[in-house]
Amino acid sequence: MSAPLALERRRVASVALAAVAALAALSAVVTGFDAAHLKPPGAAGAVLPGFAAAAANAEAITIATKDSTYRIARTQRGWALSDRGDYPVARERLAQFAEGLASLTYVRPMTRDPAKFDRLGLGDPAKGGEGVLVQVQNAQGALLANLMLGITPAGIYMRQTDGAQTWALKGELPPLKDPAQWLELTPLTIDPARITRVAVQPAEGPAYVLVRVEGTSDFALEAPYDRYLVLTPDGLNAAGRAFAFLKPNDVAAAPAIASLPTARVAMRTADGLVIDGELHQQGARHWLKLVARGDTPGASQDAQLINSRAAAWAYGLTALDYLNFAPPLTLLARPSGPAPQLPLAPTP
């Protein structure tokens, strides 16, 4: 009797052990399944592995923010900003962008909660969020990059456009929200010492001429306003040197600025270069159109270079720069006669 009983006990123990093992295996599977869903997937290394090589085949870049969407495309003349009449993009900025994307590496996973995306600058720009959508396409339309980026003072964050997982990244990117940051907005380079005469027709008031005071860097009013009392010497000099310190903040194809000129200004240098400027105010924006000519062979060459670079475009100005180019005479000077006598107030 004892032998069969022992055999039965061993059989029951084996079944029990098998059951325990099965339960343990099932528990491990369930635990692993839960962990996979509770723990965000890890990532390491480059965000866009191989992008540096693939970028050579890129044909278009699209950047979308809450304020604007703009497109940069490869043209026969090189990369250009489609939204600005195919104005050429600065090569340095394009290189910074490509190198910046290639340099992005994962640091650590962040939140998966869409309600917290805005804290990382990753809110959907189509819904007013601060995220920056970056897409790079090749000639076949395939996306070489398709990222939602949060570029904040605290760092760079990223999420895939079709996912909820976010990451903190390491790397450097140029400014992406302002399309004008991609452009080489230097239509001309003029040494202020070359400028000898500037004729101004402001939007309001009489036309006048500024001339350089011999032996100095200052400008003065030409007759018939040379005896006027100057209110602001700095204002005279700012108008006289405006072409030398031209720093546009935007650009558009010249035909797109179809409003009539509000003011005109013509600058002449000592060596015969003349640059005519038309100032426009279209809506709330201020614009400058340029055309150059030369009275000497050397000046003519300078004029051709300026025209090849600038004649097809209108350059955006701030309101202050617009005013500096063609200020009304009343802001600069007034007749030097005695001040008018005002009647005394009646004695109460």
Side-chain angles (χ1 to χ4, degrees):
M1 295 288 294
S2 61
L5 181 59
L7 289 173
E8 180 64 17
R9 286 175 178 171
R10 285 197 295 270
R11 186 185 68 79
V12 171
S14 297
V15 171
L17 288 172
V20 171
L23 287 172
L26 178 60
S27 175
V29 169
V30 172
T31 301
F33 180 83
D34 289 343
H37 283 72
L38 295 176
K39 184 179 180 181
V47 174
L48 296 170
F51 179 80
N57 298 317
E59 291 289 326
I61 300 166
T62 301
I63 309 290
T65 71
K66 68 177 182 179
D67 297 318
S68 66
T69 297
Y70 61 92
R71 178 182 172 86
I72 298 168
R74 192 192 295 269
T75 70
Q76 292 181 347
R77 297 180 298 161
W79 287 86
L81 186 57
S82 304
D83 307 81
R84 298 296 190 275
D86 284 345
Y87 192 88
V89 169
R91 294 181 180 179
E92 295 81 3
R93 180 49 56 89
L94 190 66
Q96 289 176 357
F97 173 75
E99 292 168 3
L101 285 186
S103 73
L104 293 177
T105 56
Y106 292 100
V107 174
R108 62 184 179 277
M110 302 292 285
T111 182
R112 293 173 60 87
D113 183 357
K116 298 178 180 179
F117 286 173
D118 280 324
R119 300 181 187 179
L120 303 178
L122 289 171
D124 187 348
K127 299 178 181 179
E130 295 294 331
V132 180
L133 176 63
V134 176
Q135 295 179 320
V136 181
Q137 291 176 287
N138 63 16
Q140 291 72 43
L143 288 171
L144 307 178
N146 186 26
L147 306 174
M148 188 71 73
L149 296 174
I151 304 172
T152 76
I156 301 176
Y157 302 95
M158 184 273 288
R159 66 180 172 89
Q160 300 290 347
T161 56
D162 57 353
Q165 180 62 57
T166 64
W167 285 271
L169 305 181
K170 180 181 179 181
E172 289 189 26
L173 289 169
L176 298 178
K177 293 188 177 182
D178 182 4
Q181 293 287 332
W182 290 81
L183 307 177
E184 181 55 66
L185 292 176
T186 307
L188 52 88
T189 302
I190 299 292
D191 183 346
R194 292 176 63 190
I195 303 172
T196 56
R197 189 175 190 273
V198 179
V200 180
Q201 174 59 71
E204 298 177 357
Y208 58 89
V209 175
L210 300 170
V211 292
R212 180 178 295 281
V213 178
E214 187 174 355
T216 75
S217 60
D218 294 326
F219 285 84
L221 286 164
E222 191 176 67
Y225 305 110
D226 53 327
R227 296 184 180 276
Y228 270 39
L229 178 65
V230 174
L231 302 175
T232 167
D234 287 343
L236 287 181
N237 290 332
R241 303 167 187 162
F243 280 95
F245 294 102
L246 172 61
K247 292 183 178 179
N249 60 8
D250 206 348
V251 69
I257 308 303
S259 59
L260 293 175
T262 53
R264 298 179 186 273
V265 59
M267 180 215 75
R268 176 179 288 274
T269 67
D271 54 353
L273 175 66
V274 179
I275 301 177
D276 293 316
E278 285 185 355
L279 292 159
H280 297 254
Q281 186 168 355
Q282 189 161 295
R285 303 295 306 278
H286 301 85
W287 301 92
L288 172 67
K289 296 180 182 180
L290 301 168
V291 176
R293 65 182 189 276
D295 293 340
T296 65
S300 294
Q301 290 182 357
D302 287 347
Q304 290 175 8
L305 180 60
I306 292 170
N307 288 336
S308 67
R309 191 184 297 166
W313 309 100
Y315 291 90
L317 302 178
T318 66
L320 178 59
D321 287 341
Y322 172 86
L323 184 62
N324 281 341
F325 262 94
L329 182 62
T330 53
L331 292 182
L332 302 177
R334 65 173 175 81
S336 58
Q341 296 294 319
L342 299 178
L344 296 176
T347 303

